[in-house]
Amino acid sequence: MLFQRNQIQSGDKSVNQDSFYMARAIELATKALGRTSPNPLVGCVIVKDGRIVGEGYHQKAGTPHAEVHALNAARTMAQGATAYVTLEPCSHFGKTPPCANALIEAGIKRVVVAMVDPNPLVSGKGIQRLQEAGIEVEVGLMEEEARKINKGFLKAITTGLPYVLYKSALTLDGKIATETGDSKWITNEASRAYAHRLRDQFDVIMVGSETVLQDNPALNCRIENGRDPVRLIVDGELKLPLEASILNSSCTSPCIIATTTSASPTKIQALESMPNVEVWKYDTQRYVPLEKMLRDIVKRGWNSVLLEGGGRLAGSLLQAQLIDELDFIFAPKLIGGNGPSPLAGMKIPLMAQAIPLEILETDLTTGDLRVRAKVLSSQAEKR
């Protein structure tokens, strides 16, 4: 199967216009961050005679795809137009009809696709269907940007594991709390608002039982029009008190407790009687099998996980190569002493064995230093 690659050249006016419209399609796709799993984020822009006549984005799994929204907006103007789509149009019947068919029936003349869909149900078949219908198809424009917004979907569909981001607030000397356990507040208000924006964008927020025992968090999203992620507590021995805020908050999102055979059956029964609470019991003692738990997250239809603590859980996940990126926010504060580390569960004896990172971005605009880094030895990196 031959795909025409759209090579961007600064002197090519038409390609520059293509990039402008594709950038708009990517911008539209991100409007649904955290709301489309297990589906990808997709945006579509339809252009005719140099102007946008229709645009749309996929808003939620089970609802019309981006192309359908854009075609509905364009109506008869779609005839002979160009469609810019951030991901290959689907070619199969799922909860909605194939988008490739919709583009063909609307009379679209040309389709510019940012990237091929790795989903085996699609993967090249949508492009082939368009080409067989006589539509000019170009693939690869702004592919890197398109892949970036769909990290969760891409990892889940190709590995069966969710994309995991570990976010931690810490002092400049690397502590996430004082020796007494006090951690409110390490970072400033702007950084805390950023953390809630992340909660709005991720499917699942995950913490260990020690974080719940120490901080008693609700793990909800406190921004305007934000959505509460699924809350997941890793608690192998089921230390979680039944009075914990996370169990008694007003959140309607699921609250999942991952535990083991070490847990009290009576306590499990009490938890399962609570609204919105689920217990995932694994056939192990004391320690939850982390990779299996992450795979179960994907099986439930969730593609991304925001890990917010604590250090033991994060260290274990990182050493098991199950974390994709780190988002560390350093406050300009020093506390010294033996306060907890953000990676207490990881033990590396030699510097030569240190886990390598690639710094993706840094930000000092809030007064705190935020560093986003990619974990180069993650399973996603290896596959």
Side-chain angles (χ1 to χ4, degrees):
M1 190 181 306
L2 297 177
F3 296 159
Q4 180 180 347
R5 291 279 169 178
N6 194 331
Q7 302 296 329
I8 303 174
Q9 299 175 2
S10 59
D12 188 331
K13 183 178 178 181
S14 64
V15 171
N16 286 338
Q17 290 176 340
D18 285 347
S19 299
F20 173 82
Y21 296 125
M22 185 63 78
R24 173 58 182 165
I26 290 173
E27 179 185 15
L28 287 168
T30 60
K31 289 180 178 290
L33 275 167
R35 289 151 174 82
T36 64
S37 288
N39 292 353
L41 295 166
V42 184
C44 178
V45 172
I46 297 176
V47 177
K48 188 172 186 179
D49 299 329
R51 68 184 184 92
I52 295 175
V53 295
E55 58 183 27
Y57 63 95
H58 183 42
Q59 299 173 17
K60 184 180 179 181
T63 66
H65 292 185
E67 297 92 325
V68 174
H69 286 297
L71 289 170
N72 287 342
R75 298 189 178 184
T76 58
M77 294 296 291
Q79 182 76 36
T82 296
Y84 298 84
V85 191
T86 58
L87 187 71
E88 175 184 4
C90 63
S91 55
H92 66 292
F93 283 89
K95 293 182 179 180
T96 59
C99 292
N101 288 7
L103 292 169
I104 294 167
E105 292 167 5
I108 291 291
K109 180 181 179 181
R110 175 174 174 250
V111 178
V112 181
V113 179
M115 63 173 290
V116 176
D117 189 340
N119 185 344
L121 293 174
V122 184
S123 197
K125 300 181 182 71
I127 292 171
Q128 182 178 18
R129 183 169 296 180
L130 294 173
Q131 291 175 325
E132 288 173 349
I135 296 175
E136 177 187 354
V137 182
E138 299 174 13
V139 184
L141 179 64
M142 301 185 70
E143 180 174 354
E144 183 177 349
E145 293 86 343
R147 295 184 69 86
K148 185 177 180 180
I149 66 171
N150 269 317
K151 291 176 181 178
F153 168 75
L154 294 175
K155 187 181 179 191
I157 202 72
T158 57
T159 71
L161 289 165
Y163 162 78
V164 180
L165 172 70
Y166 176 32
K167 191 278 299 178
S168 184
L170 54 166
T171 61
L172 203 56
D173 55 342
K175 311 294 184 182
I176 58 174
T178 65
E179 286 183 322
T180 64
D182 182 37
S183 61
K184 294 184 179 179
W185 296 103
I186 294 176
T187 54
N188 61 31
E189 188 175 345
S191 294
R192 296 197 296 274
Y194 168 77
H196 282 277
R197 290 196 296 274
L198 286 179
R199 292 182 183 184
D200 178 58
Q201 296 170 3
F202 277 72
D203 297 329
V204 177
I205 182 169
M206 178 167 63
V207 298
S209 58
E210 293 301 322
T211 296
V212 177
L213 291 170
Q214 185 68 43
D215 299 336
N216 194 26
L219 299 182
N220 56 356
C221 176
R222 296 187 288 275
I223 61 173
E224 187 176 0
N225 299 320
R227 49 164 279 288
D228 294 322
V230 174
R231 297 155 296 155
L232 173 60
I233 299 92
V234 182
D235 189 356
E237 296 180 279
L238 209 54
K239 300 176 182 178
L240 180 73
L242 297 178
E243 301 77 25
S245 294
I246 198 166
L247 301 174
N248 300 284
S249 72
S250 59
C251 289
T252 57
S253 65
C255 180
I256 298 167
I257 317 299
T259 191
T260 69
T261 55
S262 300
S264 161
T266 303
K267 198 169 185 180
I268 290 177
Q269 187 176 15
L271 287 167
E272 290 181 328
S273 69
M274 294 181 173
N276 304 314
V277 176
E278 300 177 26
V279 177
W280 291 0
K281 182 180 175 182
Y282 291 94
D283 191 19
T284 55
Q285 290 189 344
R286 294 188 62 195
Y287 299 108
V288 172
L290 297 176
E291 181 171 341
K292 187 175 190 311
M293 180 191 68
L294 291 177
R295 291 188 182 279
D296 287 341
I297 288 172
V298 170
K299 289 175 183 176
R300 279 292 296 271
W302 302 314
N303 293 339
S304 61
V305 175
L306 175 63
L307 172 63
E308 284 205 359
R312 292 181 186 176
L313 175 60
S316 297
L317 284 163
L318 188 59
Q319 197 149 18
Q321 302 177 11
L322 294 170
I323 292 179
D324 297 280
E325 291 186 9
L326 307 175
D327 206 341
F328 279 11
I329 305 174
F330 295 90
K333 300 174 182 177
L334 301 171
I335 56 175
N338 295 314
S341 159
L343 294 169
M346 184 173 71
K347 308 294 182 184
I348 292 180
L350 300 174
M351 187 59 68
Q353 298 171 349
I355 294 175
L357 305 175
E358 176 189 348
I359 302 297
L360 300 177
E361 59 181 278
T362 59
D363 183 10
L364 262 170
T365 57
T366 67
D368 293 331
L369 170 61
R370 186 174 69 82
V371 179
R372 176 76 72 101
K374 178 181 180 181
V375 181
L376 296 181
S377 57
S378 69
Q379 290 193 19
E381 185 72 17
K382 288 185 174 181
R383 295 183 187 187

